[in-house]
Amino acid sequence: MAENKMDRMRELVSLLNNASEAYYAKDEEIMSNFEYDKLYDELTALETELGVTFADSPTVQVGYEAVDELPKERHELAMLSLAKTKSREELADWLNGKTGLLSWKLDGLTIVLTYREGALQKAVTRGNGEVGEVVTGNARVFRNLPLNIPYQGELILRGEAVITYSGFEQINREIEDEQAKYKNPRNLCSGSVRQLDNRITAQRGVRFYAFSLVRADADFHNSRAAQFDFLQEQGFDVVEHRLVTPENILDNISYFEEKIQTYDVPSDGLVLTYEDMAYGASLGRTAKFPRDSIAFKWADELRETTLKEMEWSASRTGLINPVAIFEPVELEGTTVSRASVHNISIVRGLKLGIGDRITVYKANMIIPQIAENLTQSDSLEIPDVCPVCGQPTRISQINDVQSLYCDNPDCDAKKIKAFTLLVSRDALNVDGLSESTLEKFLARGFLHEFADLFRLARYREEITQMEGFGEKSYQNLSESLERARKTTLPRLLYGLGIENVGVANAKMLCRHFQYDLQALRDASAEELAEIDGVGGVIALSIYDYFHNEKAMEQLEHLLEEVEIEKQETSGAAQTLAGMSFVITGSLAHFENRNVMKEEIEKRGGKVTGSVTGKTVCLINNDTASQSSKNKKAKELGVAILSEEDFIGEYLTD
């Protein structure tokens, strides 16, 4: 009965969220207010009855937060890797006559969750198995994760954060730049979970599947399957699993093998664990692996083919990526004819040459890769000129990896990517200028430097005659560009495309220099390097950019076309420079945490999401609470101050 109610809760969450999206985002009404309220009340009642609230439930508002860094934390129990095999018969022998639990080995990012008193307290990535990164704020926006559970004791579990293939493909479809597309769901998931701003995590549709219970004070009758049942009762989605014996394990492997062909959740194999927990624990562990579990990896489907050509693809940064083009082959049910080779080191390691016989496979059944070069002619010529601009290339080596670059600042490939960045949402935010449109404008000579974006009116007649462009499209673009003329310094700075300067760094630099662009331009490399969060590499990138004569000439032209909004600064002395603070709980003097955070940052301080040894103090009006942040502060000897005490000690001039 409880399981049916949990399914009903998930159904209600989906129905209500779809109705809200239709109403607010698409201006469509797919259910009446009366029906919505009725379903909402039903969901609320079920959440109260079962003690479970999902992160995407419309009854909760999960707060968004941005942090400057992800604090690291040592795992209480080390997370070991698993011994692996590709032999089905070896799995049957490994059972040694026992019953086992066979489940998916999901391909995402492993997360350890801690719940106390029925509420999610902490989420930490696997990291290196000994130390992981704290991503609690990001876990709170996983699509299917319960924020509250009925169990009131301490519950620690492990699971995999994943992004489905369909979600991965949808995100990539929305990215026009081929070079900017994500390589595979695992990398996208890892980057999404480890974001400093959990709004991005929320947009990516990350899901969580539990695969192991670490701690809970309950009697599971020595059964792994009972632990999984318990986790399902708490509202967790658990990895699909089956009880197996030496007699039926091969049939069950075949079941998973058939299902993976259409399974939407990335998986790179299976995990076999002894059902008898005591027996598994009695086996102990080796230096690297536990002996109670083993991983089964799918044998890769290999196909032999012929390398026809190597395509060299240039990017905004100057990196030129090799892409192998080969005779089409069928792999895992699809036709494949190209695979990224990534860099020069791999090209040379494979000893590639046009006409070579190669074997190819799909990593995790999705990403085409070259497995082996059977011919090894080693005759492939590395281009000495850029395929786009024809200027000389160079090979650069970083950490034993060689890559090919084009250094021509006027290379069209760089221009396209540079303009694409400038008009992107986080920069000038110009609607109607896709990468393909920019490419057409560049090809026709409409654009030579950034300022030319705001001079397109001189080409109005030609633009309105272009395919896909009419008077209406031109008018929309013109209005969007006029809106973009008024911008902020952080947006402009990010849009310039200075190497290593992202959105967060741009904001931080502007705050440091009190939104004075000239002060930033005049700063020495040494001064820049001393800024907290910058360092030598980024400092040199910024210094070199602002001391490049041509770049500065073009920047001056751009500044003539845009209006930078004046940023209100308090003029407060940098009394909190170099200090880190954490804010938690409700506030009385400040409207919300973001307002308080801005006040701290104006004075040079930094606000992070978790208490660490570097934290100066934890700001919490409930100084006596037993929250995880308070406990952590006490453990580390970090002061816990009320809002009023903090203001008196740190914000009073």
Side-chain angles (χ1 to χ4, degrees):
M1 181 63 75
E3 186 175 341
N4 292 338
K5 289 181 179 179
M6 199 79 74
D7 290 339
R8 176 58 176 165
M9 278 178 58
R10 291 189 173 93
E11 181 184 13
L12 289 169
V13 167
S14 178
L15 287 170
L16 292 168
N17 284 341
N18 288 339
S20 293
E21 181 183 8
Y23 185 81
Y24 291 107
K26 303 176 182 176
D27 200 23
E28 299 174 1
E29 189 170 322
I30 61 176
M31 70 171 62
S32 67
N33 288 340
F34 176 82
E35 185 180 2
Y36 183 95
D37 290 343
K38 181 181 176 183
L39 296 178
Y40 187 95
D41 290 343
E42 182 185 352
L43 175 60
T44 302
L46 283 171
E47 287 178 344
T48 302
E49 178 186 347
L50 299 179
V52 174
T53 309
F54 293 113
D56 60 344
S57 171
T59 67
V60 297
Q61 290 294 323
V62 178
Y64 291 117
E65 65 177 33
V67 297
D68 295 314
E69 61 181 13
L70 294 175
K72 292 181 170 55
E73 182 171 303
R74 184 169 294 277
H75 294 297
E76 187 177 332
L77 296 173
M79 301 182 67
L80 304 177
S81 300
L82 296 180
K84 299 175 180 64
T85 180
K86 292 186 177 182
S87 167
R88 299 164 191 241
E89 292 70 24
E90 188 175 332
L91 282 190
D93 292 341
W94 183 88
L95 278 173
N96 195 28
K98 304 286 185 181
T99 299
L101 205 64
L102 189 66
S103 62
W104 290 117
K105 183 178 182 294
L106 299 183
D107 192 25
L109 189 69
T110 300
I111 305 286
V112 183
L113 300 178
T114 301
Y115 288 76
R116 295 189 185 98
E117 298 177 359
L120 175 63
Q121 294 294 315
K122 185 169 57 178
V124 183
T125 66
R126 181 186 186 279
N128 63 6
E130 297 284 345
V131 177
E133 292 175 312
V134 180
V135 291
T136 312
N138 296 345
R140 291 185 185 280
V141 297
F142 290 174
R143 287 286 172 86
N144 63 332
L145 189 71
L147 300 180
N148 300 97
I149 60 175
Y151 182 75
Q152 295 298 298
E154 183 178 60
L155 171 67
I156 302 177
L157 70 151
R158 296 171 180 170
E160 201 80 354
V162 297
I163 290 178
T164 61
Y165 286 126
S166 56
F168 166 75
E169 290 162 2
Q170 175 62 35
I171 290 169
N172 263 353
R173 274 197 297 270
E174 295 170 0
I175 301 173
E176 293 187 359
D177 180 3
E178 285 296 323
Q179 294 297 324
K181 291 182 185 289
Y182 295 97
K183 298 287 189 293
N184 55 60
R186 186 189 186 283
N187 287 354
L188 173 58
C189 180
S190 178
S192 301
V193 173
R194 299 175 65 249
Q195 283 290 329
L196 297 181
D197 186 342
N198 71 346
R199 293 175 192 268
I200 299 173
T201 310
Q203 293 166 3
R204 300 280 173 81
V206 180
R207 306 186 72 83
F208 178 85
Y209 291 90
F211 61 65
S212 174
L213 177 61
V214 178
R215 179 182 302 154
D217 187 12
D219 184 3
F220 299 109
H221 308 290
N222 197 35
S223 166
R224 292 278 183 193
Q227 287 187 332
F228 273 12
D229 292 342
F230 168 77
L231 289 173
Q232 285 183 303
E233 290 166 5
Q234 304 308 309
F236 295 100
D237 284 336
V238 302
V239 291
E240 184 178 2
H241 52 281
R242 290 187 157 203
L243 284 171
V244 296
T245 64
E247 291 72 34
N248 66 16
I249 188 170
L250 297 182
D251 289 339
N252 279 285
I253 293 173
S254 297
Y255 161 79
F256 283 107
E257 184 179 33
E258 182 176 345
K259 184 166 184 175
I260 199 174
Q261 304 302 323
T262 55
Y263 194 43
D264 199 29
V265 181
S267 167
D268 57 355
L270 303 172
V271 175
L272 180 60
T273 304
Y274 288 115
E275 159 68 358
D276 186 324
M277 293 163 53
Y279 176 74
S282 72
L283 299 175
R285 49 172 279 187
T286 68
K288 295 176 64 177
F289 309 123
R291 289 194 174 100
D292 66 342
S293 302
I294 188 171
F296 171 76
K297 303 284 285 184
W298 304 110
D300 296 315
E301 183 180 1
L302 292 173
R303 289 288 182 270
E304 188 176 325
T305 184
T306 301
L307 180 65
K308 294 170 59 180
E309 64 175 292
M310 187 67 72
E311 180 182 284
W312 299 91
S313 178
S315 68
R316 177 181 68 85
T317 62
L319 178 65
I320 302 175
N321 295 299
V323 179
I325 312 297
F326 45 81
E327 291 288 350
V329 290
E330 289 292 317
L331 273 178
E332 312 292 355
T334 62
T335 302
V336 178
S337 61
R338 54 193 292 130
S340 174
V341 191
H342 303 297
N343 55 58
I344 301 299
S345 293
I346 295 177
V347 169
R348 288 175 168 166
L350 288 168
K351 298 183 178 179
L352 292 171
I354 304 304
D356 281 358
R357 294 295 290 173
I358 59 175
T359 57
V360 294
Y361 70 104
K362 277 189 177 181
N364 294 342
M365 300 189 173
I366 183 170
I367 309 298
Q369 301 282 326
I370 296 177
E372 187 180 4
N373 181 7
L374 305 176
T375 311
Q376 295 196 343
S377 69
D378 202 13
S379 59
L380 185 71
E381 292 186 10
I382 307 300
D384 54 12
V385 297
C386 172
V388 176
C389 68
Q391 293 300 303
T393 59
R394 67 175 170 87
I395 295 176
S396 175
Q397 182 164 319
I398 301 175
N399 296 329
D400 298 325
V401 175
Q402 292 185 331
S403 299
L404 187 66
Y405 287 89
C406 169
D407 288 329
N408 176 17
D410 296 319
C411 178
D412 280 349
K414 292 183 180 181
K415 284 186 178 181
I416 292 168
K417 307 303 181 185
F419 275 100
T420 301
L421 176 67
L422 183 67
V423 303
S424 66
R425 183 182 60 185
D426 291 324
L428 297 189
N429 192 23
V430 182
D431 289 330
L433 274 181
S434 66
E435 185 170 325
S436 60
T437 299
L438 287 167
E439 191 171 358
K440 292 173 185 174
F441 285 2
L442 281 161
R444 289 171 177 254
F446 299 166
L447 301 173
H448 298 283
E449 59 175 301
F450 287 160
D452 289 337
L453 281 169
F454 301 99
R455 303 165 181 163
L456 287 172
R458 66 181 73 170
Y459 304 108
R460 175 173 183 159
E461 186 174 341
E462 292 175 68
I463 292 173
T464 55
Q465 299 302 313
M466 288 171 57
E467 184 179 353
F469 255 91
E471 190 62 42
K472 181 65 175 175
S473 296
Y474 172 83
Q475 194 59 40
N476 289 340
L477 173 58
S478 180
E479 291 171 2
S480 182
L481 283 165
E482 282 305 307
R483 288 193 298 271
R485 283 183 185 273
K486 190 170 184 178
T487 189
T488 65
L489 186 57
R491 282 179 171 275
L492 179 70
L493 185 61
Y494 168 65
L496 293 177
I498 303 171
E499 192 172 3
N500 300 313
V501 177
V503 176
N505 278 341
K507 291 179 179 177
M508 178 266 296
L509 285 164
C510 290
R511 283 198 301 268
H512 179 84
F513 288 99
Q514 296 288 295
Y515 299 89
D516 183 344
L517 177 57
Q518 193 57 49
L520 173 58
R521 292 172 65 170
D522 292 341
S524 67
E526 292 75 16
E527 183 183 351
L528 290 164
E530 289 174 0
I531 300 172
D532 187 30
V534 175
V537 174
I538 300 176
L540 197 57
S541 294
I542 299 166
Y543 180 83
D544 286 347
Y545 178 82
F546 286 121
H547 287 77
N548 179 297
E549 187 176 340
K550 186 169 184 178
M552 288 307 93
E553 180 184 342
Q554 295 190 359
L555 175 59
E556 290 297 338
H557 294 165
L558 178 60
L559 290 172
E560 291 171 4
E561 300 291 342
V562 300
E563 176 189 348
I564 299 177
E565 297 175 8
K566 269 200 169 183
Q567 180 74 31
E568 289 297 324
T569 57
S570 65
Q574 300 295 287
T575 54
L576 305 182
M579 299 185 187
S580 293
F581 303 90
V582 175
I583 309 170
T584 190
S586 59
L587 300 174
H589 294 274
F590 289 94
E591 183 181 345
N592 54 50
R593 294 183 203 174
N594 282 336
V595 174
M596 189 178 201
K597 178 182 178 184
E598 288 174 10
E599 188 63 33
I600 292 171
E601 290 175 342
K602 284 178 186 177
R603 298 166 185 260
K606 183 165 66 173
V607 176
T608 63
S610 299
V611 179
T612 70
K614 295 181 180 179
T615 305
V616 173
C617 76
L618 169 65
I619 305 160
N620 186 355
N621 280 326
D622 188 357
T623 57
S625 82
Q626 293 301 305
S627 69
S628 59
K629 281 190 173 70
N630 276 30
K631 289 180 179 177
K632 189 69 174 178
K634 290 173 184 175
E635 287 174 12
L636 297 173
V638 173
I640 304 172
L641 299 183
S642 68
E643 186 182 0
E644 189 170 338
D645 288 342
F646 173 78
I647 292 170
E649 185 168 343
Y650 290 98
L651 298 187
T652 302
D653 295 323

